[in-house]
Amino acid sequence: MAKQPRSELRRDGDRTEQVSEKIRKRLFIKTYGCQMNVYDSARMTDVLAPLGYQVVDSPRGADMVILNTCHIREKAAEKVFSELGRLRAFKQERRDQGGDMLLAVAGCVAQAEGEEILRRAPQVDIVFGPQTYHRLPEMVARAARAADGRGVLDIDFPVDSKFDHLPEEAAAPGPAAFVSVQEGCDKFCSFCVVPYTRGAEYSRPAAAVIAEARRLVAAGVREITLLGQNVNAYHGEAPGGTPNGTGGGTWGLGRLIRALAEIDGLERLRYTTSHPRDMDDELIAAHGEEEKLMPYLHLPVQSGSDRILAAMNRRHTAADYLRIVERLRQARPDLALSSDFIVGFPGESDRDFADTLKLIQDVGFAQAYSFKYSPRPGTPAAVEDSQLAEPVKAERLAGLQQLLGAQALAFNAACVGRDLPVLLERPGRKAGQLVGRSPFMQSVHVGVPEVAMARLAGRILPVRIDSAHPNSLAGSLLVDDAPQAAAGGRTMARITA
Ligand code: 5AD
Ligand code: SF4
């Protein structure tokens, strides 16, 4: 790679920016898909930092661009190839200026397409999967040396986990952070690429997770979301390797949550994404007993029809799901539920679809994600004969989203007039606005005086909810002006300055 000037003026569109001497190499990462990819992108930044790479917010003029891709739905690979076409022009521009731009494709499309990416997009220098990014420095060195212009490909599933090789997180976290605790999936739902792109289930040792959480809290983090493709299948080695009597030396997610909740300064815990099969007693009990575990759970059901659930290889029925929800609500009555739904799975009849609508009505979701079934190459459902026509899928999706949208709005509307503790995370789009999350995971927009923005960001403060929208709430900040008020409770006053 060409040597970089130590300091220069760079023009990005109409923006001219002084690039500081410290930014020796500019790294642009575009992240698609799930929160796991967001986490992975942050860790790639950590891995590349010792090589002098710092993150910039535009691919133009960058020394390295990584597309961290998602393969879960739709024409993921095609989207990546068209993005690579656009980036080719920027790479050429860099070369014309006497520099170069390393172009890398990461994530699940890289894992699934591998060599094909290098063949179809020869401008790509590096292709690597979700399990090998700890080797990025080596890949960068190999790509820089590659005189023949051939790209570097590393899509192994290494025997030793990348977590054993990753550096401690370098990037300054915000008040809410992710910690990856589990990866991969052995469930093989018949529609899903994850078991093929992310590999077999792996759980990080509990001690490593706790140490990472402690470091984050020491750096100011108040809320941690534990991540995993199948996070409640977590079965990490117990600290000190001592058997805990129930798991033969491993901890389940419920036990891990209890240990994390003991960290002083950590106020909130969440986890995502879970599978109904792995909602065990300890985890359900944690929802009732552990105050720091927020009353929100994303628990994908996918369908309300037992016939379709069996064809999906979900290994649970609609009644199983309803029973789990009932137990969770017994433990934590105010639990807000979210889910994923797929409509138009091969062979789905009107009746199957009606069963899904019925389940939604029975549960009542606070929020949900819904998708048209999209055949993924290499998955069993993709080769079923009974694929549904596009207009049928579209019509069912519209019907499903209408119902889910109405439930979400009703849930949000029921919050109007309540005082909710909100973790104020970042400035909103409008001036004088902070955006945060309620315990139920709703986005809350809060008007605050400009002068107080910096002081208030990162704190959990009571907010009076004034209005509800389909995907968010708006409210005003309250100060607790009489914490000792008598039995009648606390009185709140709106902050005005
Ligand atoms: N088609 C449509 N939706 C899918 N999902 C996963 N695979 C597919 C597919 N082939 C959805 C599931 C999953 C969410 C992350 O994406 O609902 O829970
Ligand atoms: Fe995919 Fe099913 Fe595994 Fe979830 S549980 S990641 S949907 S295979």
Side-chain angles (χ1 to χ4, degrees), residues 72-73 191-192 300 302 340-342 371-376:
I72 203 138
R73 282 179 299 272
F191 52 81
C192 184
Q302 314 296 358
D340 289 340
F341 296 90
I342 296 179
F371 315 99
K372 285 188 274 190
Y373 169 69
S374 144
R376 311 310 297 133

Side-chain angles (χ1 to χ4, degrees), residues 279-326:
M279 272 336 284
D280 64 20
D281 294 349
E282 190 171 30
L283 187 53
I284 292 175
H287 277 278
E289 292 159 16
E290 194 44 71
E291 251 180 61
K292 291 184 181 178
L293 184 56
M294 289 293 99
Y296 168 85
L297 176 63
H298 181 65
L299 188 63
V301 63
Q302 314 296 358
S303 169
S305 153
D306 288 346
R307 216 173 61 80
I308 296 298
L309 287 169
M312 287 177 164
N313 191 31
R314 290 289 293 176
R315 289 179 281 170
H316 62 80
T317 62
D320 293 336
Y321 188 85
L322 293 175
R323 253 193 308 275
I324 293 164
V325 167
E326 194 185 318

Side-chain angles (χ1 to χ4, degrees), residues 96-159:
D96 293 345
Q97 294 163 346
D100 201 0
M101 174 192 281
L102 275 183
L103 208 48
V105 182
C108 292
V109 173
Q111 189 69 44
E113 299 282 325
E115 188 81 47
E116 178 69 5
I117 296 178
L118 295 175
R119 202 184 59 74
R120 272 185 64 185
Q123 71 272 32
V124 172
D125 301 285
I126 306 174
V127 173
F128 61 99
Q131 305 308 341
T132 52
Y133 60 77
H134 56 292
R135 298 181 190 152
L136 258 174
E138 193 187 315
M139 292 183 232
V140 168
R142 274 167 58 203
R145 277 199 309 267
D148 58 359
R150 271 196 63 72
V152 174
L153 179 69
D154 190 348
I155 52 171
D156 287 358
F157 287 114
V159 184

Side-chain angles (χ1 to χ4, degrees), residues 46 96 388:
D46 295 340
D96 293 345
L388 265 62

Side-chain angles (χ1 to χ4, degrees), residues 341 343 353 357 360 368-372 393-409:
F341 296 90
V343 297
F353 179 61
L357 296 178
I360 294 171
Y369 304 87
S370 46
F371 315 99
K372 285 188 274 190
K393 293 188 201 177
E395 195 187 324
R396 287 188 187 160
L397 186 66
L400 188 95
Q401 289 187 339
Q402 204 175 16
L403 177 58
L404 289 168
Q407 289 192 343
L409 187 58

